[in-house]
Amino acid sequence: MKNKQAVPAQAYGYQAQLSLVPWCLLRYREAETVAYENLDDICVGFDSGRRIFIQVKSGEKNPFSNSSLDLWKTLSNWVRHCNPKSDETFTFITTKKHKKGKILICAATCREKQDFSDLFLALNEYYDRANKKTRKIFHSFIHAREKLTHIFQNMEFEYLELPIHDEIKLELKKYNELDGILEALYSSIVAWVEAAIEKKTRNNKNKIVIDRKEFGEFHANRRAALEAKIKYNLTPPIISDEDKLSLRGSIFLRQIDAIGSPGMSKEKAILNYLKAKSFIDQLTYSGAIDGNDINREKEHLVDYWENECLVPCSLPDTDKGVNIFTSCMKYRQSPLYIRVKNESLCQGTYHMLADDIEVWWHPTFKDSL
């Protein structure tokens, strides 16, 4: 084998293409189809007739230099399949940052001026001095001025770092997916797409197309299943420490609003929250309790919350939230309460745990954040 690096680099490129299919399915929600290795590495089609041609480049070689055969092969392919009278975009996605060669720099300048005469002059000059292999590729498109103008006017470049799954995560976040179950959601999407492509390859390797309906049904069902999981297990969402600080003092109040607690309950919750803070400061300052006492108290409260929330329950969601809140307000069994006999300390600590996103009351609360 002349080039031992060829196969690994090629495999790396195919892995990127495969991962980009679910990325496209998420980014272009209104697309009718996402085709894999059909017309281009990936081709996104819309009901309106709009198409996005995506060429995926990876590896060490610069695909944008004048001497890159990949660049000229891509242009040749785009010329063969494009329609200058249609709404089309031509996108290079690379997994490594590369500098553009003189031809592409010239194309960008011509695009700004809306005059491509200098570009065609540069292309013809390069064709005249190119080697035999390059000239053969050039020959298929060098005179297709209308199509080349169409391509260079609508050409885009995008750089995505691998692992591409991180980019899929970002796309999910843009569409306000449930952060707490993001891992399960995006990994299942990738697995489903890979399985769908494998199945379609067996049926017709020349037409690997995933349409909006089949992906939409899978995605909706998967998301519904995961939403149910977060709903009935009352799993706290993942919120950054910075966001927690900005929300501190209000999360437990919003939870109380979410379950429709009466005004007196809300008022009592606020008083318990504030009293607990003050009482903890007094007790720790005097040496009556220490940090370990508070940590153990929190652990007991978390255990109590989990026992109330995670057991099978046939109650409606709102009733379940009210039940948990009411049980919390009657809590008297912690070792710390037995020692200090202070109701506000236990109940207020419970509210503080809510602010820390450690306990949760109402499954739909995150929607109100």
Side-chain angles (χ1 to χ4, degrees):
M1 186 183 291
K2 291 183 181 180
N3 183 1
K4 292 183 179 180
Q5 296 299 316
V7 173
Q10 203 170 31
Y12 184 74
Y14 286 137
Q15 184 267 325
Q17 291 170 215
L18 193 63
S19 297
L20 276 165
V21 174
W23 180 80
C24 288
L25 287 164
L26 290 167
R27 170 171 279 196
Y28 306 109
R29 294 295 180 95
E30 70 280 16
E32 181 64 21
T33 58
V34 173
Y36 175 69
E37 290 291 348
N38 183 23
L39 299 181
D40 208 347
D41 288 343
I42 300 172
C43 187
V44 184
F46 300 80
D47 285 336
S48 62
R50 179 189 172 209
R51 294 190 295 184
I52 301 173
F53 293 88
I54 298 177
Q55 184 71 201
V56 185
K57 299 298 180 187
S58 59
E60 295 300 318
K61 291 184 178 180
N62 183 354
F64 302 144
S65 68
N66 285 9
S67 60
S68 169
L69 288 178
D70 283 340
L71 173 63
W72 309 124
K73 286 177 180 177
T74 297
L75 287 175
S76 174
N77 180 65
W78 285 348
V79 165
R80 187 164 66 253
H81 293 116
C82 78
N83 180 355
K85 294 179 172 58
S86 296
D87 180 8
E88 296 175 332
T89 305
F90 305 87
T91 304
F92 275 112
I93 292 182
T94 60
T95 57
K96 182 178 179 180
K97 290 182 179 178
H98 297 284
K99 290 183 178 179
K100 296 182 180 67
K102 290 183 179 179
I103 294 291
L104 289 182
I105 292 173
C106 178
T109 304
C110 292
R111 179 174 175 172
E112 289 178 7
K113 296 190 298 184
Q114 288 297 297
D115 181 357
F116 287 88
S117 54
D118 289 345
L119 174 63
F120 293 123
L121 183 63
L123 284 171
N124 280 287
E125 288 177 353
Y126 189 75
Y127 173 74
D128 289 340
R129 62 175 185 272
N131 59 39
K132 186 177 181 180
K133 194 172 184 178
T134 305
R135 285 169 66 92
K136 186 177 180 181
I137 299 170
F138 256 81
H139 187 73
S140 64
F141 68 84
I142 191 68
H143 300 299
R145 293 181 68 121
E146 183 184 11
K147 289 190 172 184
L148 283 172
T149 300
H150 173 58
I151 290 168
F152 284 114
Q153 277 181 330
N154 298 283
M155 184 183 289
E156 296 178 352
F157 299 88
E158 189 156 0
Y159 164 65
L160 297 176
E161 287 189 24
L162 287 185
I164 204 71
H165 289 186
D166 290 340
E167 300 299 331
I168 295 172
K169 276 187 181 180
L170 292 176
E171 284 305 320
L172 284 165
K173 285 183 178 179
K174 287 180 185 177
Y175 290 96
N176 301 313
E177 303 290 350
L178 295 168
D179 294 347
I181 50 175
L182 196 59
E183 182 76 22
L185 185 60
Y186 88 79
S187 60
S188 66
I189 287 174
V190 174
W192 181 86
V193 169
E194 289 176 346
I197 288 174
E198 183 180 352
K199 180 180 179 181
K200 290 173 185 292
T201 302
R202 290 197 298 267
N203 296 336
N204 183 355
K205 65 181 180 181
N206 295 319
K207 191 176 182 182
I208 307 171
V209 178
I210 299 174
D211 65 46
R212 176 175 56 191
K213 185 177 180 182
E214 62 180 321
F215 174 71
E217 288 176 354
F218 156 76
H219 187 254
N221 291 337
R222 180 61 183 163
R223 177 167 176 170
L226 292 168
E227 282 180 337
K229 182 179 178 182
I230 211 173
K231 187 174 184 180
Y232 295 112
N233 285 345
L234 298 175
T235 306
I238 298 170
I239 298 178
S240 70
D241 291 338
E242 185 178 346
D243 288 338
K244 285 180 184 179
L245 287 173
S246 67
L247 292 167
R248 193 162 179 80
S250 66
I251 288 180
F252 82 93
L253 294 178
R254 297 193 194 188
Q255 289 178 326
I256 293 169
D257 287 336
I259 63 174
S261 295
M264 288 180 64
S265 295
K266 187 172 181 179
E267 185 178 338
K268 185 176 182 183
I270 295 170
L271 289 173
N272 285 334
Y273 181 87
L274 297 173
K275 283 180 181 179
K277 281 178 173 295
S278 175
F279 196 47
I280 288 171
D281 288 340
Q282 291 174 24
L283 291 173
T284 53
Y285 181 76
S286 66
I289 62 173
D290 60 25
N292 290 330
D293 290 321
I294 294 299
N295 288 335
R296 280 193 290 270
E297 173 71 3
K298 289 180 177 179
E299 288 172 6
H300 279 288
L301 286 165
V302 170
D303 287 342
Y304 178 76
W305 173 80
E306 289 178 345
N307 289 333
E308 286 288 322
C309 295
L310 303 184
V311 295
C313 182
S314 59
L315 289 173
D317 298 333
T318 304
D319 289 348
K320 185 190 289 187
V322 172
N323 186 50
I324 295 166
F325 175 69
T326 304
S327 299
C328 154
M329 300 307 283
K330 294 177 180 176
Y331 186 77
R332 297 287 186 279
Q333 302 303 313
S334 81
L336 190 58
Y337 175 79
I338 293 171
R339 277 177 58 188
V340 300
K341 303 297 182 184
N342 187 287
E343 178 181 318
S344 300
L345 178 63
C346 298
Q347 295 169 359
T349 304
Y350 197 99
H351 300 317
M352 283 185 260
L353 282 168
D355 270 357
D356 292 335
I357 323 297
E358 297 295 332
V359 299
W360 217 236
W361 289 329
H362 192 257
T364 60
F365 169 68
K366 183 173 185 288
D367 295 337
S368 68
L369 269 177

PDB file of all heavy atoms in Angstrom, residues 75-101:
ATOM      1  N   LEU A  75     -16.297  20.468  -6.898  1.00  0.00           N
ATOM      2  CA  LEU A  75     -16.889  21.419  -7.847  1.00  0.00           C
ATOM      3  C   LEU A  75     -17.468  20.689  -9.050  1.00  0.00           C
ATOM      4  O   LEU A  75     -18.544  21.033  -9.546  1.00  0.00           O
ATOM      5  CB  LEU A  75     -15.832  22.431  -8.297  1.00  0.00           C
ATOM      6  CG  LEU A  75     -15.434  23.487  -7.261  1.00  0.00           C
ATOM      7  CD1 LEU A  75     -14.291  24.334  -7.788  1.00  0.00           C
ATOM      8  CD2 LEU A  75     -16.622  24.377  -6.899  1.00  0.00           C
ATOM      9  N   SER A  76     -16.746  19.670  -9.521  1.00  0.00           N
ATOM     10  CA  SER A  76     -17.234  18.890 -10.664  1.00  0.00           C
ATOM     11  C   SER A  76     -18.562  18.212 -10.322  1.00  0.00           C
ATOM     12  O   SER A  76     -19.505  18.211 -11.133  1.00  0.00           O
ATOM     13  CB  SER A  76     -16.188  17.836 -11.033  1.00  0.00           C
ATOM     14  OG  SER A  76     -16.681  16.985 -12.045  1.00  0.00           O
ATOM     15  N   ASN A  77     -18.653  17.661  -9.111  1.00  0.00           N
ATOM     16  CA  ASN A  77     -19.877  16.995  -8.676  1.00  0.00           C
ATOM     17  C   ASN A  77     -21.018  18.000  -8.540  1.00  0.00           C
ATOM     18  O   ASN A  77     -22.150  17.737  -8.958  1.00  0.00           O
ATOM     19  CB  ASN A  77     -19.629  16.298  -7.338  1.00  0.00           C
ATOM     20  CG  ASN A  77     -20.859  15.572  -6.826  1.00  0.00           C
ATOM     21  OD1 ASN A  77     -21.325  14.609  -7.427  1.00  0.00           O
ATOM     22  ND2 ASN A  77     -21.412  16.054  -5.725  1.00  0.00           N
ATOM     23  N   TRP A  78     -20.733  19.160  -7.960  1.00  0.00           N
ATOM     24  CA  TRP A  78     -21.768  20.179  -7.782  1.00  0.00           C
ATOM     25  C   TRP A  78     -22.273  20.701  -9.124  1.00  0.00           C
ATOM     26  O   TRP A  78     -23.474  20.911  -9.298  1.00  0.00           O
ATOM     27  CB  TRP A  78     -21.235  21.319  -6.924  1.00  0.00           C
ATOM     28  CG  TRP A  78     -21.142  20.963  -5.456  1.00  0.00           C
ATOM     29  CD1 TRP A  78     -21.675  19.864  -4.841  1.00  0.00           C
ATOM     30  CD2 TRP A  78     -20.477  21.711  -4.439  1.00  0.00           C
ATOM     31  NE1 TRP A  78     -21.388  19.876  -3.500  1.00  0.00           N
ATOM     32  CE2 TRP A  78     -20.659  21.000  -3.214  1.00  0.00           C
ATOM     33  CE3 TRP A  78     -19.753  22.895  -4.412  1.00  0.00           C
ATOM     34  CZ2 TRP A  78     -20.129  21.446  -1.999  1.00  0.00           C
ATOM     35  CZ3 TRP A  78     -19.224  23.347  -3.210  1.00  0.00           C
ATOM     36  CH2 TRP A  78     -19.415  22.624  -2.011  1.00  0.00           C
ATOM     37  N   VAL A  79     -21.363  20.893 -10.065  1.00  0.00           N
ATOM     38  CA  VAL A  79     -21.769  21.349 -11.401  1.00  0.00           C
ATOM     39  C   VAL A  79     -22.685  20.317 -12.049  1.00  0.00           C
ATOM     40  O   VAL A  79     -23.678  20.656 -12.703  1.00  0.00           O
ATOM     41  CB  VAL A  79     -20.531  21.618 -12.283  1.00  0.00           C
ATOM     42  CG1 VAL A  79     -20.933  21.741 -13.758  1.00  0.00           C
ATOM     43  CG2 VAL A  79     -19.822  22.891 -11.835  1.00  0.00           C
ATOM     44  N   ARG A  80     -22.366  19.048 -11.849  1.00  0.00           N
ATOM     45  CA  ARG A  80     -23.150  17.969 -12.467  1.00  0.00           C
ATOM     46  C   ARG A  80     -24.578  17.925 -11.924  1.00  0.00           C
ATOM     47  O   ARG A  80     -25.522  17.621 -12.660  1.00  0.00           O
ATOM     48  CB  ARG A  80     -22.441  16.631 -12.236  1.00  0.00           C
ATOM     49  CG  ARG A  80     -23.069  15.453 -12.961  1.00  0.00           C
ATOM     50  CD  ARG A  80     -22.150  14.250 -13.027  1.00  0.00           C
ATOM     51  NE  ARG A  80     -21.888  13.669 -11.723  1.00  0.00           N
ATOM     52  CZ  ARG A  80     -20.731  13.769 -11.071  1.00  0.00           C
ATOM     53  NH1 ARG A  80     -19.726  14.469 -11.621  1.00  0.00           N
ATOM     54  NH2 ARG A  80     -20.557  13.205  -9.896  1.00  0.00           N
ATOM     55  N   HIS A  81     -24.772  18.255 -10.633  1.00  0.00           N
ATOM     56  CA  HIS A  81     -26.078  18.068 -10.007  1.00  0.00           C
ATOM     57  C   HIS A  81     -26.854  19.354  -9.717  1.00  0.00           C
ATOM     58  O   HIS A  81     -28.029  19.289  -9.378  1.00  0.00           O
ATOM     59  CB  HIS A  81     -25.927  17.299  -8.687  1.00  0.00           C
ATOM     60  CG  HIS A  81     -25.481  15.887  -8.863  1.00  0.00           C
ATOM     61  ND1 HIS A  81     -24.278  15.408  -8.390  1.00  0.00           N
ATOM     62  CD2 HIS A  81     -26.067  14.837  -9.497  1.00  0.00           C
ATOM     63  CE1 HIS A  81     -24.154  14.130  -8.707  1.00  0.00           C
ATOM     64  NE2 HIS A  81     -25.221  13.768  -9.386  1.00  0.00           N
ATOM     65  N   CYS A  82     -26.213  20.500  -9.816  1.00  0.00           N
ATOM     66  CA  CYS A  82     -26.894  21.737  -9.425  1.00  0.00           C
ATOM     67  C   CYS A  82     -27.842  22.239 -10.517  1.00  0.00           C
ATOM     68  O   CYS A  82     -27.754  21.842 -11.672  1.00  0.00           O
ATOM     69  CB  CYS A  82     -25.882  22.819  -9.060  1.00  0.00           C
ATOM     70  SG  CYS A  82     -25.097  23.623 -10.471  1.00  0.00           S
ATOM     71  N   ASN A  83     -28.723  23.130 -10.104  1.00  0.00           N
ATOM     72  CA  ASN A  83     -29.652  23.783 -11.027  1.00  0.00           C
ATOM     73  C   ASN A  83     -29.611  25.281 -10.734  1.00  0.00           C
ATOM     74  O   ASN A  83     -30.121  25.729  -9.711  1.00  0.00           O
ATOM     75  CB  ASN A  83     -31.064  23.244 -10.834  1.00  0.00           C
ATOM     76  CG  ASN A  83     -32.069  23.885 -11.772  1.00  0.00           C
ATOM     77  OD1 ASN A  83     -31.737  24.804 -12.522  1.00  0.00           O
ATOM     78  ND2 ASN A  83     -33.303  23.413 -11.735  1.00  0.00           N
ATOM     79  N   PRO A  84     -28.984  26.076 -11.609  1.00  0.00           N
ATOM     80  CA  PRO A  84     -28.816  27.513 -11.355  1.00  0.00           C
ATOM     81  C   PRO A  84     -30.121  28.265 -11.120  1.00  0.00           C
ATOM     82  O   PRO A  84     -30.123  29.349 -10.543  1.00  0.00           O
ATOM     83  CB  PRO A  84     -28.118  28.019 -12.629  1.00  0.00           C
ATOM     84  CG  PRO A  84     -27.475  26.825 -13.221  1.00  0.00           C
ATOM     85  CD  PRO A  84     -28.374  25.669 -12.886  1.00  0.00           C
ATOM     86  N   LYS A  85     -31.233  27.689 -11.554  1.00  0.00           N
ATOM     87  CA  LYS A  85     -32.532  28.363 -11.381  1.00  0.00           C
ATOM     88  C   LYS A  85     -33.218  27.974 -10.065  1.00  0.00           C
ATOM     89  O   LYS A  85     -34.336  28.404  -9.791  1.00  0.00           O
ATOM     90  CB  LYS A  85     -33.437  28.053 -12.574  1.00  0.00           C
ATOM     91  CG  LYS A  85     -32.926  28.630 -13.888  1.00  0.00           C
ATOM     92  CD  LYS A  85     -33.853  28.279 -15.029  1.00  0.00           C
ATOM     93  CE  LYS A  85     -33.449  29.003 -16.303  1.00  0.00           C
ATOM     94  NZ  LYS A  85     -32.070  28.707 -16.722  1.00  0.00           N
ATOM     95  N   SER A  86     -32.545  27.145  -9.252  1.00  0.00           N
ATOM     96  CA  SER A  86     -33.130  26.672  -8.000  1.00  0.00           C
ATOM     97  C   SER A  86     -32.460  27.340  -6.800  1.00  0.00           C
ATOM     98  O   SER A  86     -31.374  27.906  -6.904  1.00  0.00           O
ATOM     99  CB  SER A  86     -32.987  25.149  -7.876  1.00  0.00           C
ATOM    100  OG  SER A  86     -33.712  24.503  -8.896  1.00  0.00           O
ATOM    101  N   ASP A  87     -33.137  27.211  -5.658  1.00  0.00           N
ATOM    102  CA  ASP A  87     -32.590  27.704  -4.391  1.00  0.00           C
ATOM    103  C   ASP A  87     -31.688  26.612  -3.824  1.00  0.00           C
ATOM    104  O   ASP A  87     -32.171  25.604  -3.311  1.00  0.00           O
ATOM    105  CB  ASP A  87     -33.750  28.019  -3.428  1.00  0.00           C
ATOM    106  CG  ASP A  87     -33.264  28.538  -2.075  1.00  0.00           C
ATOM    107  OD1 ASP A  87     -32.048  28.791  -1.941  1.00  0.00           O
ATOM    108  OD2 ASP A  87     -34.090  28.674  -1.161  1.00  0.00           O
ATOM    109  N   GLU A  88     -30.388  26.804  -3.931  1.00  0.00           N
ATOM    110  CA  GLU A  88     -29.433  25.778  -3.503  1.00  0.00           C
ATOM    111  C   GLU A  88     -28.271  26.400  -2.733  1.00  0.00           C
ATOM    112  O   GLU A  88     -27.858  27.533  -3.013  1.00  0.00           O
ATOM    113  CB  GLU A  88     -28.880  25.022  -4.718  1.00  0.00           C
ATOM    114  CG  GLU A  88     -29.947  24.241  -5.474  1.00  0.00           C
ATOM    115  CD  GLU A  88     -29.428  23.600  -6.743  1.00  0.00           C
ATOM    116  OE1 GLU A  88     -28.461  24.136  -7.334  1.00  0.00           O
ATOM    117  OE2 GLU A  88     -29.997  22.572  -7.150  1.00  0.00           O
ATOM    118  N   THR A  89     -27.769  25.663  -1.759  1.00  0.00           N
ATOM    119  CA  THR A  89     -26.600  26.070  -0.991  1.00  0.00           C
ATOM    120  C   THR A  89     -25.566  24.959  -1.079  1.00  0.00           C
ATOM    121  O   THR A  89     -25.909  23.774  -1.049  1.00  0.00           O
ATOM    122  CB  THR A  89     -26.959  26.316   0.495  1.00  0.00           C
ATOM    123  OG1 THR A  89     -28.018  27.256   0.564  1.00  0.00           O
ATOM    124  CG2 THR A  89     -25.760  26.851   1.270  1.00  0.00           C
ATOM    125  N   PHE A  90     -24.287  25.352  -1.176  1.00  0.00           N
ATOM    126  CA  PHE A  90     -23.196  24.393  -1.315  1.00  0.00           C
ATOM    127  C   PHE A  90     -22.244  24.588  -0.133  1.00  0.00           C
ATOM    128  O   PHE A  90     -21.612  25.638  -0.014  1.00  0.00           O
ATOM    129  CB  PHE A  90     -22.480  24.605  -2.648  1.00  0.00           C
ATOM    130  CG  PHE A  90     -23.415  24.554  -3.834  1.00  0.00           C
ATOM    131  CD1 PHE A  90     -24.080  25.707  -4.251  1.00  0.00           C
ATOM    132  CD2 PHE A  90     -23.668  23.370  -4.491  1.00  0.00           C
ATOM    133  CE1 PHE A  90     -24.963  25.677  -5.326  1.00  0.00           C
ATOM    134  CE2 PHE A  90     -24.558  23.320  -5.556  1.00  0.00           C
ATOM    135  CZ  PHE A  90     -25.208  24.478  -5.972  1.00  0.00           C
ATOM    136  N   THR A  91     -22.192  23.572   0.729  1.00  0.00           N
ATOM    137  CA  THR A  91     -21.493  23.739   1.997  1.00  0.00           C
ATOM    138  C   THR A  91     -20.330  22.767   2.133  1.00  0.00           C
ATOM    139  O   THR A  91     -20.477  21.563   1.919  1.00  0.00           O
ATOM    140  CB  THR A  91     -22.464  23.505   3.181  1.00  0.00           C
ATOM    141  OG1 THR A  91     -23.571  24.386   3.049  1.00  0.00           O
ATOM    142  CG2 THR A  91     -21.773  23.755   4.515  1.00  0.00           C
ATOM    143  N   PHE A  92     -19.167  23.325   2.482  1.00  0.00           N
ATOM    144  CA  PHE A  92     -18.021  22.525   2.884  1.00  0.00           C
ATOM    145  C   PHE A  92     -18.033  22.446   4.404  1.00  0.00           C
ATOM    146  O   PHE A  92     -17.986  23.479   5.086  1.00  0.00           O
ATOM    147  CB  PHE A  92     -16.712  23.185   2.453  1.00  0.00           C
ATOM    148  CG  PHE A  92     -16.288  22.878   1.042  1.00  0.00           C
ATOM    149  CD1 PHE A  92     -16.292  23.857   0.071  1.00  0.00           C
ATOM    150  CD2 PHE A  92     -15.852  21.603   0.700  1.00  0.00           C
ATOM    151  CE1 PHE A  92     -15.887  23.587  -1.223  1.00  0.00           C
ATOM    152  CE2 PHE A  92     -15.446  21.330  -0.601  1.00  0.00           C
ATOM    153  CZ  PHE A  92     -15.461  22.313  -1.558  1.00  0.00           C
ATOM    154  N   ILE A  93     -18.102  21.253   4.953  1.00  0.00           N
ATOM    155  CA  ILE A  93     -17.948  21.081   6.396  1.00  0.00           C
ATOM    156  C   ILE A  93     -16.632  20.352   6.637  1.00  0.00           C
ATOM    157  O   ILE A  93     -16.398  19.283   6.086  1.00  0.00           O
ATOM    158  CB  ILE A  93     -19.110  20.281   7.008  1.00  0.00           C
ATOM    159  CG1 ILE A  93     -20.404  21.108   6.927  1.00  0.00           C
ATOM    160  CG2 ILE A  93     -18.818  19.928   8.461  1.00  0.00           C
ATOM    161  CD1 ILE A  93     -21.614  20.444   7.537  1.00  0.00           C
ATOM    162  N   THR A  94     -15.762  20.956   7.430  1.00  0.00           N
ATOM    163  CA  THR A  94     -14.470  20.341   7.718  1.00  0.00           C
ATOM    164  C   THR A  94     -14.360  20.028   9.207  1.00  0.00           C
ATOM    165  O   THR A  94     -14.951  20.709  10.043  1.00  0.00           O
ATOM    166  CB  THR A  94     -13.301  21.260   7.316  1.00  0.00           C
ATOM    167  OG1 THR A  94     -13.389  22.491   8.036  1.00  0.00           O
ATOM    168  CG2 THR A  94     -13.337  21.541   5.828  1.00  0.00           C
ATOM    169  N   THR A  95     -13.596  18.997   9.503  1.00  0.00           N
ATOM    170  CA  THR A  95     -13.365  18.616  10.891  1.00  0.00           C
ATOM    171  C   THR A  95     -12.024  19.148  11.387  1.00  0.00           C
ATOM    172  O   THR A  95     -11.601  18.833  12.494  1.00  0.00           O
ATOM    173  CB  THR A  95     -13.398  17.087  11.034  1.00  0.00           C
ATOM    174  OG1 THR A  95     -12.429  16.520  10.152  1.00  0.00           O
ATOM    175  CG2 THR A  95     -14.776  16.557  10.683  1.00  0.00           C
ATOM    176  N   LYS A  96     -11.378  19.948  10.565  1.00  0.00           N
ATOM    177  CA  LYS A  96     -10.138  20.616  10.952  1.00  0.00           C
ATOM    178  C   LYS A  96     -10.078  21.943  10.205  1.00  0.00           C
ATOM    179  O   LYS A  96     -10.526  22.038   9.064  1.00  0.00           O
ATOM    180  CB  LYS A  96      -8.927  19.747  10.584  1.00  0.00           C
ATOM    181  CG  LYS A  96      -7.602  20.350  11.008  1.00  0.00           C
ATOM    182  CD  LYS A  96      -6.444  19.420  10.654  1.00  0.00           C
ATOM    183  CE  LYS A  96      -5.125  20.071  11.062  1.00  0.00           C
ATOM    184  NZ  LYS A  96      -3.962  19.203  10.744  1.00  0.00           N
ATOM    185  N   LYS A  97      -9.562  22.973  10.848  1.00  0.00           N
ATOM    186  CA  LYS A  97      -9.498  24.285  10.207  1.00  0.00           C
ATOM    187  C   LYS A  97      -8.421  24.285   9.132  1.00  0.00           C
ATOM    188  O   LYS A  97      -7.299  23.817   9.347  1.00  0.00           O
ATOM    189  CB  LYS A  97      -9.213  25.366  11.252  1.00  0.00           C
ATOM    190  CG  LYS A  97     -10.381  25.606  12.208  1.00  0.00           C
ATOM    191  CD  LYS A  97     -10.077  26.719  13.189  1.00  0.00           C
ATOM    192  CE  LYS A  97     -11.275  26.954  14.100  1.00  0.00           C
ATOM    193  NZ  LYS A  97     -11.003  28.003  15.112  1.00  0.00           N
ATOM    194  N   HIS A  98      -8.771  24.822   7.959  1.00  0.00           N
ATOM    195  CA  HIS A  98      -7.840  24.894   6.835  1.00  0.00           C
ATOM    196  C   HIS A  98      -7.874  26.288   6.212  1.00  0.00           C
ATOM    197  O   HIS A  98      -8.924  26.942   6.202  1.00  0.00           O
ATOM    198  CB  HIS A  98      -8.218  23.868   5.756  1.00  0.00           C
ATOM    199  CG  HIS A  98      -8.142  22.442   6.207  1.00  0.00           C
ATOM    200  ND1 HIS A  98      -6.957  21.766   6.357  1.00  0.00           N
ATOM    201  CD2 HIS A  98      -9.124  21.569   6.556  1.00  0.00           C
ATOM    202  CE1 HIS A  98      -7.212  20.524   6.764  1.00  0.00           C
ATOM    203  NE2 HIS A  98      -8.517  20.389   6.892  1.00  0.00           N
ATOM    204  N   LYS A  99      -6.751  26.720   5.696  1.00  0.00           N
ATOM    205  CA  LYS A  99      -6.685  28.007   5.003  1.00  0.00           C
ATOM    206  C   LYS A  99      -7.186  27.839   3.570  1.00  0.00           C
ATOM    207  O   LYS A  99      -6.905  26.833   2.917  1.00  0.00           O
ATOM    208  CB  LYS A  99      -5.250  28.528   4.992  1.00  0.00           C
ATOM    209  CG  LYS A  99      -4.743  28.962   6.358  1.00  0.00           C
ATOM    210  CD  LYS A  99      -3.336  29.547   6.246  1.00  0.00           C
ATOM    211  CE  LYS A  99      -2.843  30.021   7.609  1.00  0.00           C
ATOM    212  NZ  LYS A  99      -1.463  30.574   7.529  1.00  0.00           N
ATOM    213  N   LYS A 100      -7.891  28.826   3.097  1.00  0.00           N
ATOM    214  CA  LYS A 100      -8.387  28.790   1.719  1.00  0.00           C
ATOM    215  C   LYS A 100      -7.262  29.137   0.750  1.00  0.00           C
ATOM    216  O   LYS A 100      -6.463  30.042   1.006  1.00  0.00           O
ATOM    217  CB  LYS A 100      -9.554  29.755   1.541  1.00  0.00           C
ATOM    218  CG  LYS A 100     -10.784  29.386   2.375  1.00  0.00           C
ATOM    219  CD  LYS A 100     -11.911  30.358   2.118  1.00  0.00           C
ATOM    220  CE  LYS A 100     -13.146  29.997   2.932  1.00  0.00           C
ATOM    221  NZ  LYS A 100     -12.939  30.161   4.366  1.00  0.00           N
ATOM    222  N   GLY A 101      -7.237  28.433  -0.384  1.00  0.00           N
ATOM    223  CA  GLY A 101      -6.265  28.728  -1.419  1.00  0.00           C
ATOM    224  C   GLY A 101      -6.638  29.986  -2.196  1.00  0.00           C
ATOM    225  O   GLY A 101      -7.695  30.587  -1.981  1.00  0.00           O
TER     226      GLY A 101
END
